Amino acid sequence: MSPATTVLAAIAIPALAALLIPLAHRQPNVREGITLAAAVAMFVAVASLAPGVLGGARPATGAWSVLPGVELRLALEPLGMLFALVASFLWIVNSLYSIGYMRGNNEPRQTSYYVCFAVALAATMGIAFSANLFTLFLFYELLTLSTYPLVVHKQTAEAIRAGRLYLLMLIGSSIVLFLTAIIWVYVRSGSGDFRPGGIVQGAFSAGETGVLLALFAFGVAKAALMPLHRWLPAAMVAPTPVSALLHAVAVVKAGVFVILKIVVYVFGIDFLASTGASIWLMYVAAATLVLASVIALLKDNLKARLAYSTVSQLAYVVLAGALASKSSVIGGGMHIAMHAFGKITLFFCAGAIYTALHKTEISEMRGIGRAMPVTMFCFFIGALSVCGVPPGGGTWSKLYLTMSAADADRFILVAALMLSTLLNIAYFMPIVARAWFVPMPRAVSVGAAAAPHGEHDGIKEAPWPCLVALSITAAGCLALFVFADRIHALIEPLTHLR
Amino acid sequence: VIAEHFPALQVVVPLLAAPLCAVLRNRRLAWLVALVVSFAMPFIAGALLVRVLARGPIAYWLGSWEPPWGIEYRIDAANALLLVLVSGIAAVIMPYARDSLDREIPHRRQPWYYALYLLCLAGLLGMAVTGDAFNVFVFLEIASISSYLLIALGRDRRALMASYQYLVIGTIGATFFVIGVGFLYLMTGTLNIADLAERLPQAANQRPVIVGLAFIAVGLCLKLALFPLHYWLPNAYAYAPSVATAFLAATATKVAIYLLLRFFFTVFAKTFPFEEIIVPAIWLALSAAAIVYASLAAIYQDNVKRMLAYSSVAQIGYITLGIGIGTEAGLSAAIVHIFNHGVMKGALFLLVGGIAYYGGSVTMKRIAGQGKRMPLTLAGIVLAGASMVGIPGTVGFVSKWYLVVASLERGWWWLAAFVVATSVLAIVYMGRIVEAAFFRPADAAAEKHGEMPLAMLVPALLLVVACLYFGLDTDLTADVARLAARGLLGKAP
């Protein structure tokens, strides 16, 4: 297969799976088999493209003209390659985990769940490989629409309310701000193609560039920049694998990926840095990353704490884009991958705790390390990575970011990054400490006795697919620490102009 | 040889078939006649469009009487596209009509329904093809009177009241129009539209011309339901039979908008500067008020057909907004949206009609839980709804794109912002339907049923597919719309 065909296949595989899954409605094993097979096939397809991109190839598909000058087109570039690799790999793990979680909790409507998941992944691949703003926007909206049913999966009043917020904030912002920005770029620059070095230089004045950046930064509400972050904590009502999808694989990652991609290929980092149009965004991002960390610290619900932690971590990537230097963009790109692995591990652990012990509040999680040693060990590793402490992969991306903030002589930003890291440690480590070093109260183990196994103090882990999945991602966090140079090599060409 | 007479056949065939339906007392035979006629219409319209695109405007002299003495039918890109829309919608809804009407109209009245429907079709197509101002009035009355009756045939007794309201307002509109035409005739001595355009400048600042323009504008705005003259529309659409609603919503107001374009641009453009014809400040304010008011009203409706009707008023606001921009791009945007909105609103009304098929008016309570029972219908509503919002890949997006580009080209930032900001209102009202259908439990007392009959479902989904297809391939719609806009503005193609 030529690389261009493989790019199309990467989108077609999950789309095909979405059509096949409903046919296996009555055979759960076949249905999940299709999901897993599609996930593996997609990853193989995406991975087969990586060597070419590393070697400097930039394959592109043909264009389908929708409006004059507006085309549907896919093309490969390093940042999209990285995002596609991360998302497609994590889909495999997430599917494995979903099987354990959805069956373990007897969730209803599993078929439509897997269908929406597959569509969401197809949309994610489309975002990763889009060659221009229009294509990107098309898949961006598709991703919102396909994840909406997942957010309201439980169909409780709370879930429906969260879904409303989700749709209104994401589609509303994207149509009002993002689309305006896109059309503005098309009208002024005559095209919306992603080109190294950007396309707005010369077409926009410095002041207009600042406005345009604001339209993009807030229009892409998937990046959850404050004050457009409310949908993310609200969406926590969804089943945990959905949260993992939202936080690590697709949705928010797509958001920050889009921002980074637009900074690099639409604005061009040199142009953006020279106009100073992004300085305000640095401070908004810095405020978001500190504020969200503080809010996370105050949350007792584990998933809510993780959600605000995500808001904070996303702001790192937005900050990377706003700094608009070579090292910051590389750091931002790396952070997408690092945070994806760290956060998915943490969500998997939260879901495992819920599945095995039916606990959601951190204050209830005393001593659970003894019941769930593997889970809590992996939680520890994931937390290390998100905090940016060795041997977690997040160390490198934070290092790059802090260095680029220092390079830019913006020590307030350096201070904000350091403060946030401290806050990260402050809200993650007590969970770990409580799980391992505080004994489990009796009353809680009585609650656990209501569960099918009925053991009091023994090991009581989540179903094995969950356990395998979270072990893989935790191992991934460590691997990324060791092999960070590979990611660096992949996305380093990002900053080359030609 | 017969192809030369297509402009006449486009109107004459449904006109003659109508009495045939009325005398055939059998509802199935009447349906068959209407079906055959409706299927033939798109071929004629398509052939006309192809010819216009290949060889420029067509002039057809009825009975070979030379204009301005005889009646001239004149077809350019603008009305050719409209003919394709009207006849296409007519063809799509006819297979749907049989089953839907069986449940909604007493069997013995059905032949009348088909007769009226064909008259209405003839009237709408006639208004589109004719190049004679008085002839426009004749067809306008044919279409209007038959549509009052179509609406009155609805099974809800409130349909009578709605029809009566429409009758009163519609008659005022038509009368205003003919008074306006009378004034123009008074000053120029001609009724031929092309001729009028030539002769009017000589009488430019005479009061009767100005009064004529005012009467025509207000009369047509009543027919096209521009806010605040939209009062008749929500009730009429809500209580008419489902097929009639889908047909009228997709075509009737669109033809009125076309007439407005024809008079504003072809007839008056040489006489008055554009700014004096429509006074952009007032025109844009009314359009904007239509969008905001009707979208908000749509959000608060419980009856889904009424909700969609209000949404129509809002969407008409987008069309008139495009006209108000006044440039080639704005006009193209308006014409594209005439077509696109016809397709998506037709699809929505047909789909909702499928729920009405199983009895009862379609309220939020009625639609609750239907996502499980009628998954295809609701999937269609979701897609057409996405189009109303303007999600990329749908026709709604294409319209919005053109509107925003047109606003930006004029440097009207605020208008671009307004267009995108009001899309959010469409998310809310379409979202309510989706939420009720998928996430609210079905009404326990309601009848349990599956999808609507295939003969209804297929046409409805066909329009949904059209919503997506024309969202990704705009060669037909956007290019023809641009040609039409250039033609109306008197520029070379």
Side-chain angles (χ1 to χ4, degrees), chain B residues 136-202:
Chain B
V136 169
F137 170 69
V138 172
F139 283 122
L140 179 68
E141 283 295 29
I142 293 177
S144 302
I145 294 172
S146 50
S147 60
Y148 307 144
L149 288 164
L150 287 179
I151 291 163
L153 282 171
R155 73 182 143 185
D156 194 314
R157 294 201 30 101
R158 281 172 288 187
L160 293 175
M161 195 59 208
S163 167
Y164 183 69
Q165 264 179 357
Y166 184 27
L167 171 84
V168 171
I169 295 177
T171 306
I172 296 174
T175 310
F176 271 30
F177 177 77
V178 79
I179 292 173
V181 171
F183 273 112
L184 300 189
Y185 182 63
L186 183 77
M187 296 310 292
T188 59
T190 182
L191 288 168
N192 183 287
I193 287 178
D195 213 26
L196 269 176
E198 295 300 323
R199 296 200 197 173
L200 266 180
Q202 295 155 21

Side-chain angles (χ1 to χ4, degrees), chain B residues 119-488:
Chain B
L119 275 181
C120 188
L121 179 63
L124 293 173
L125 292 171
M127 277 190 270
V129 287
T130 190
D132 183 280
F134 190 77
N135 205 223
V136 169
F137 170 69
V138 172
F139 283 122
L140 179 68
E141 283 295 29
I142 293 177
S144 302
I145 294 172
S146 50
S147 60
Y148 307 144
L149 288 164
L150 287 179
I151 291 163
L153 282 171
R155 73 182 143 185
D156 194 314
R157 294 201 30 101
R158 281 172 288 187
L160 293 175
M161 195 59 208
S163 167
Y164 183 69
Q165 264 179 357
Y166 184 27
L167 171 84
V168 171
I169 295 177
T171 306
I172 296 174
T175 310
F176 271 30
F177 177 77
V178 79
I179 292 173
V181 171
F183 273 112
L184 300 189
Y185 182 63
L186 183 77
M187 296 310 292
T188 59
T190 182
L191 288 168
N192 183 287
I193 287 178
D195 213 26
L196 269 176
E198 295 300 323
R199 296 200 197 173
L200 266 180
Q202 295 155 21
N205 287 316
Q206 309 266 13
R207 186 149 298 156
V209 175
I210 300 170
V211 173
L213 167 62
F215 268 112
I216 288 174
V218 175
L220 288 177
C221 285
L222 274 165
K223 295 300 289 186
L224 68 83
L226 177 65
F227 179 88
L229 307 175
H230 67 281
Y231 182 62
W232 58 272
L233 188 144
N235 282 329
Y237 284 10
Y239 302 121
S242 302
V243 193
T245 306
F247 179 64
L248 293 175
T251 58
T253 47
K254 312 295 180 289
V255 175
I257 295 170
Y258 155 76
L259 287 179
L260 194 79
L261 291 175
R262 184 59 83 199
F263 274 88
F264 279 1
F265 289 97
T266 308
V267 176
F268 286 108
K270 286 182 189 153
T271 311
F272 302 107
F274 178 73
E275 274 67 27
E276 283 180 26
I277 298 178
I278 69 164
V279 194
I282 298 177
W283 187 261
L284 290 177
L286 288 180
S287 307
I291 294 168
V292 174
Y293 167 79
S295 301
L296 288 176
I299 292 172
Y300 292 101
Q301 298 304 317
D302 186 51
N303 182 319
V304 176
K305 276 171 86 177
R306 267 180 85 91
M307 169 192 291
L308 294 177
Y310 272 108
S311 147
S312 279
V313 176
Q315 299 293 323
I316 289 166
Y318 286 112
I319 297 174
T320 51
L321 208 63
I323 299 172
I325 294 172
T327 57
E328 182 189 323
L331 209 49
S332 311
I335 295 168
V336 163
H337 199 47
I338 288 176
F339 184 90
N340 289 347
H341 178 244
V343 173
M344 59 189 170
K345 209 32 92 49
L348 279 169
F349 273 120
L350 287 185
L351 291 163
V352 171
I355 302 172
Y357 178 76
Y358 293 101
S361 52
V362 186
T363 55
M364 281 296 163
K365 195 173 156 199
R366 177 77 181 73
I367 218 166
Q370 297 298 346
K372 278 212 190 68
R373 293 175 183 172
M374 313 175 78
L376 287 173
T377 306
L378 266 299
I381 291 181
V382 168
L383 289 173
S387 185
M388 297 290 303
V389 175
I391 303 288
T394 64
V395 287
F397 176 79
V398 175
S399 300
K400 212 138 276 177
W401 180 282
Y402 272 95
L403 262 181
V404 173
V405 168
S407 319
L408 288 183
E409 276 180 6
R410 278 215 72 169
W412 287 355
W413 260 106
W414 41 274
L415 195 63
F418 176 81
V419 170
V420 290
T422 47
S423 314
V424 177
L425 297 171
I427 307 178
V428 179
Y429 61 74
M430 291 315 302
R432 281 185 68 211
I433 301 182
V434 174
E435 214 180 87
F438 288 98
F439 308 120
R440 223 174 296 153
D443 188 7
E447 185 197 346
K448 288 203 169 35
H449 55 75
E451 295 281 2
M452 55 181 132
L454 217 55
M456 292 169 67
L457 189 62
V458 172
L461 292 182
L462 203 64
L463 282 184
V464 173
V465 170
C467 275
L468 300 178
Y469 177 77
F470 290 115
L472 288 175
D473 182 1
T474 59
D475 278 357
L476 174 64
T477 53
D479 288 3
V480 177
R482 198 183 52 81
L483 265 180
R486 293 187 71 87
L488 286 170

Side-chain angles (χ1 to χ4, degrees), chain A residues 184-490:
Chain A
W184 198 13
V185 170
Y186 270 96
V187 168
R188 280 288 181 84
S189 306
S191 99
D193 291 347
F194 296 129
R195 264 185 234 136
I199 55 172
V200 306
Q201 189 166 12
F204 287 80
S205 71
E208 286 170 336
T209 307
V211 176
L212 187 66
L213 183 67
L215 288 175
F216 277 126
F218 291 110
V220 184
K222 288 199 173 97
L225 196 62
M226 280 185 178
L228 293 180
H229 68 287
R230 278 289 312 147
W231 61 272
L232 184 57
M236 286 296 99
V237 295
T240 305
V242 174
S243 305
L245 171 85
L246 256 56
H247 284 255
V249 184
V251 179
V252 298
K253 286 291 160 332
V256 288
F257 165 75
V258 166
I259 296 217
L260 218 48
K261 189 156 177 166
I262 285 172
V263 164
V264 174
Y265 292 109
V266 174
F267 288 101
I269 50 175
D270 293 337
F271 176 66
L272 199 58
S274 69
T275 55
S278 62
I279 294 173
W280 65 271
L281 185 58
M282 296 175 195
Y283 291 98
V284 173
T288 300
L289 67 87
V290 174
L291 274 177
S293 295
V294 173
I295 298 173
L297 194 58
L298 303 175
K299 294 284 174 190
D300 187 39
N301 183 296
L302 179 57
K303 280 177 77 178
R305 186 173 287 191
L306 292 178
Y308 274 100
S309 158
T310 301
V311 174
S312 160
Q313 298 291 322
L314 294 174
Y316 281 75
V317 185
V318 177
L319 177 62
L323 281 167
S325 65
K326 286 188 180 183
S327 60
S328 83
V329 171
I330 291 172
M334 287 169 86
H335 199 64
I336 291 179
M338 304 302 183
H339 177 249
F341 275 86
K343 200 41 80 56
I344 202 170
T345 309
L346 295 175
F347 269 106
F348 283 171
C349 293
I353 296 168
Y354 174 72
T355 309
L357 302 176
H358 297 279
K359 288 183 205 299
T360 54
E361 306 304 306
I362 293 163
S363 52
E364 294 172 357
M365 294 181 185
R366 276 168 295 184
I368 56 171
R370 281 163 226 194
M372 312 182 71
V374 180
T375 306
M376 287 323 287
F377 181 70
C378 292
F379 187 95
F380 178 57
I381 294 179
L384 282 183
S385 183
V386 173
C387 293
V389 177
T395 316
W396 298 118
S397 53
K398 287 206 177 177
L399 186 67
Y400 265 95
L401 262 175
T402 315
M403 278 176 2
S404 51
D407 278 345
D409 281 337
R410 297 194 183 276
F411 289 98
I412 299 180
L413 299 181
V414 176
L417 286 168
M418 294 292 116
L419 178 61
S420 166
T421 302
L422 285 178
L423 286 167
N424 290 348
I425 294 171
Y427 62 69
F428 277 135
M429 290 310 144
I431 304 175
V432 179
R434 187 172 296 186
W436 289 111
F437 303 123
V438 180
M440 190 185 277
R442 295 301 297 172
V444 172
S445 46
V446 172
H453 298 294
E455 290 149 298
H456 276 241
D457 291 319
I459 303 283
K460 193 173 167 325
E461 288 279 8
W464 68 266
C466 295
L467 219 54
V468 172
L470 61 88
S471 308
I472 293 174
T473 54
C477 291
L478 299 177
L480 285 177
F481 180 77
V482 184
F483 298 114
D485 59 326
R486 306 283 164 86
I487 295 183
H488 186 278
L490 178 62

Side-chain angles (χ1 to χ4, degrees), chain A residues 9-343:
Chain A
I11 297 175
I13 290 167
L16 190 67
L19 293 178
L20 289 177
I21 291 167
L23 299 181
H25 175 57
R26 301 198 185 285
Q27 296 116 322
N29 289 332
V30 179
R31 179 183 67 198
E32 270 90 304
I34 295 172
T35 299
L36 275 177
V40 171
M42 187 174 92
F43 177 68
V44 170
V46 172
S48 74
L49 293 166
V53 175
L54 263 173
R58 300 287 180 268
T61 61
W64 165 272
S65 173
V66 176
L67 300 164
V70 179
E71 294 171 334
L72 267 183
R73 191 154 184 267
L74 301 171
L76 263 181
E77 46 77 42
L79 194 60
M81 190 69 242
L82 174 67
F83 179 48
L85 274 174
V86 171
S88 60
F89 177 73
L90 291 181
W91 188 30
I92 305 177
V93 190
N94 200 339
S95 301
L96 195 64
Y97 184 84
S98 290
I99 296 167
Y101 183 91
M102 298 302 275
R103 292 186 179 184
N105 288 303
N106 286 321
E107 291 276 348
R109 298 176 288 278
Q110 294 195 16
T111 303
S112 60
Y113 169 88
Y114 287 108
V115 171
C116 291
F117 237 94
V119 177
L121 261 295
T124 307
M125 290 303 113
I127 293 175
F129 296 143
S130 54
N132 54 43
L133 282 169
F134 171 74
T135 314
L136 179 80
F137 188 61
L138 179 90
F139 286 110
Y140 181 90
E141 297 293 60
L142 181 62
L143 181 59
T144 311
L145 293 179
S146 59
T147 45
Y148 167 70
L150 294 172
V151 172
V152 291
H153 183 84
K154 293 199 170 154
Q155 305 199 355
T156 56
E158 193 195 357
I160 290 177
R161 224 173 311 125
R164 233 178 251 168
L165 193 66
Y166 186 80
L167 260 197
L168 211 60
M169 276 189 109
L170 291 188
I171 301 242
S173 64
S174 69
I175 286 191
V176 175
L177 305 173
F178 193 14
L179 179 60
T180 310
I182 290 175
I183 297 180
W184 198 13
V185 170
Y186 270 96
V187 168
R188 280 288 181 84
S189 306
S191 99
D193 291 347
F194 296 129
R195 264 185 234 136
I199 55 172
V200 306
Q201 189 166 12
F204 287 80
S205 71
E208 286 170 336
T209 307
V211 176
L212 187 66
L213 183 67
L215 288 175
F216 277 126
F218 291 110
V220 184
K222 288 199 173 97
L225 196 62
M226 280 185 178
L228 293 180
H229 68 287
R230 278 289 312 147
W231 61 272
L232 184 57
M236 286 296 99
V237 295
T240 305
V242 174
S243 305
L245 171 85
L246 256 56
H247 284 255
V249 184
V251 179
V252 298
K253 286 291 160 332
V256 288
F257 165 75
V258 166
I259 296 217
L260 218 48
K261 189 156 177 166
I262 285 172
V263 164
V264 174
Y265 292 109
V266 174
F267 288 101
I269 50 175
D270 293 337
F271 176 66
L272 199 58
S274 69
T275 55
S278 62
I279 294 173
W280 65 271
L281 185 58
M282 296 175 195
Y283 291 98
V284 173
T288 300
L289 67 87
V290 174
L291 274 177
S293 295
V294 173
I295 298 173
L297 194 58
L298 303 175
K299 294 284 174 190
D300 187 39
N301 183 296
L302 179 57
K303 280 177 77 178
R305 186 173 287 191
L306 292 178
Y308 274 100
S309 158
T310 301
V311 174
S312 160
Q313 298 291 322
L314 294 174
Y316 281 75
V317 185
V318 177
L319 177 62
L323 281 167
S325 65
K326 286 188 180 183
S327 60
S328 83
V329 171
I330 291 172
M334 287 169 86
H335 199 64
I336 291 179
M338 304 302 183
H339 177 249
F341 275 86
K343 200 41 80 56

